[in-house]
């Protein structure tokens, strides 16, 4: 009964070689988020989708892109990974919809990315 | 800008001890939400609690309790009779509304690593 699924759990890529991380959800939530968490640091939001609308954080590098082909799936593309991009990448979903109400974000297990 | 401070980087206790994790936040919003998440070694963030700014009632859930004090901008988390399985990193977070209504981001503190020794 997994709700937010991330594949793969561990990903090794070479310096400069494009990589795609995958997230899917069974919750039918309209908001999907991608967070980056470097070692011993707090998660930091990269961007999110509200339905099909993409919202980038101001300080997210151009190297990071995202796609959401449908409600259930969201992808994180790293065009040219550098050593500094090694991190845990967490996908989360929430209901969204009401500005005066906050819904908890449900997190997936994360994908740990290693760049060699 | 929103900010969350967890001053305790690491805490180590012996099983059955009570432990309190501190969280102090800064926000200019009058309506906001506070969260606690647990991150075990496996890496997944597990939701523990959500509290809105208008509800200062303390909450208890089993061995977990939360003390929200708006006057001191604190939202502390206490584990009673700690167990080895409580060992994890605990994050306090504050929601920040994003430009589009209905979505928000979580601003996390740096986390407190709790180790419960047998």
């Amino acid at each position: 009964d997994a709700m937010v699924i991330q594949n793969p759990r561990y990903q090794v890529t070479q310096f400069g070689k494009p990589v795609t991380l995958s997230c899917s959800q069974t919750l039918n939530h309209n908001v999907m988020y991608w967070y980056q968490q470097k070692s011993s640091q707090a998660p930091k939001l990269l961007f999110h989708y509200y339905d099909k609308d993409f919202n980038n954080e101001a300080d997210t590098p151009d190297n990071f892109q995202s796609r959401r082909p449908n409600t259930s799936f969201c992808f994180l593309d790293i065009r040219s990974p550098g050593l500094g991009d090694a991190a845990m990448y967490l996908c989360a979903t929430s209901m969204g919809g009401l500005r005066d109400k906050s819904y908890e974000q449900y997190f997936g297990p994360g994908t740990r990315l290693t760049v060699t | 800008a929103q900010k969350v401070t967890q001053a305790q980087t690491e805490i180590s206790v012996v099983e059955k001890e009570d432990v309190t994790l501190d969280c102090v936040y800064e926000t200019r919003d009058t309506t906001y939400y506070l969260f606690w998440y647990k991150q075990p070694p496996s890496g997944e963030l597990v939701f523990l609690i959500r509290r809105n700014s208008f509800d200062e009632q303390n909450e208890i859930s089993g061995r977990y309790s939360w003390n929200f004090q708006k006057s001191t901008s604190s939202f502390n988390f206490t584990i009673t009779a700690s167990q080895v399985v409580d060992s994890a990193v605990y994050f306090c977070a504050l929601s920040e509304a994003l430009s589009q209504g209905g979505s928000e981001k979580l601003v996390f503190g740096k986390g407190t690593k709790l180790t419960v020794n047998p």
Side-chain angles (χ1 to χ4, degrees), chain B residues 32-85:
Chain B
Y32 52 89
Y33 291 81
L34 294 159
F35 300 80
W36 276 94
Y37 282 85
K38 174 182 180 180
Q39 188 174 44
S42 59
E44 183 175 356
L45 277 167
V46 178
F47 167 79
L48 295 177
I49 189 172
R50 175 184 69 237
R51 172 68 62 197
N52 76 50
S53 52
F54 295 110
D55 182 3
E56 288 195 67
Q57 216 171 10
N58 290 334
E59 181 154 341
I60 298 174
S61 176
R63 296 183 297 108
Y64 295 169
S65 62
W66 291 270
N67 182 281
F68 175 34
Q69 294 201 347
K70 217 168 173 179
S71 59
T72 56
S73 298
S74 65
F75 186 43
N76 296 337
F77 173 32
T78 297
I79 302 174
T80 303
S82 59
Q83 300 176 1
V84 173
V85 293

Side-chain angles (χ1 to χ4, degrees), chain A residues 4-113:
Chain A
V4 182
I5 303 159
Q6 290 189 246
N7 285 307
R9 294 292 308 277
Y10 300 90
Q11 176 75 55
V12 180
T13 190
Q14 293 177 339
F15 183 94
K17 186 175 180 181
V19 66
T20 295
L21 309 182
S22 165
C23 177
S24 63
Q25 53 132 340
T26 58
L27 297 163
N28 205 34
H29 284 169
N30 55 343
V31 190
M32 294 187 78
Y33 307 81
W34 279 104
Y35 287 84
Q36 179 193 60
Q37 185 181 20
K38 295 189 176 180
S39 182
S40 301
Q41 295 187 21
K44 180 177 175 298
L45 183 67
L46 294 173
F47 29 58
H48 78 284
Y49 272 94
Y50 189 103
D51 293 325
K52 294 183 178 180
D53 293 330
F54 176 71
N55 299 272
N56 203 26
E57 288 296 290
D59 56 355
T60 298
D62 293 339
N63 199 24
F64 291 86
Q65 304 286 322
S66 186
R67 297 169 283 134
R68 189 179 186 186
N70 54 52
T71 300
S72 301
F73 285 86
C74 194
F75 300 99
L76 169 62
D77 301 309
I78 308 177
R79 294 193 294 187
S80 181
L83 297 178
D85 296 328
M88 174 78 89
Y89 289 88
L90 295 161
C91 174
T93 72
S94 71
M95 282 180 62
L98 296 174
R99 194 174 178 89
D100 62 346
K101 190 172 177 64
S102 175
Y103 296 94
E104 60 264 33
Q105 294 184 15
Y106 291 83
F107 284 83
T111 294
R112 191 173 295 280
L113 178 69

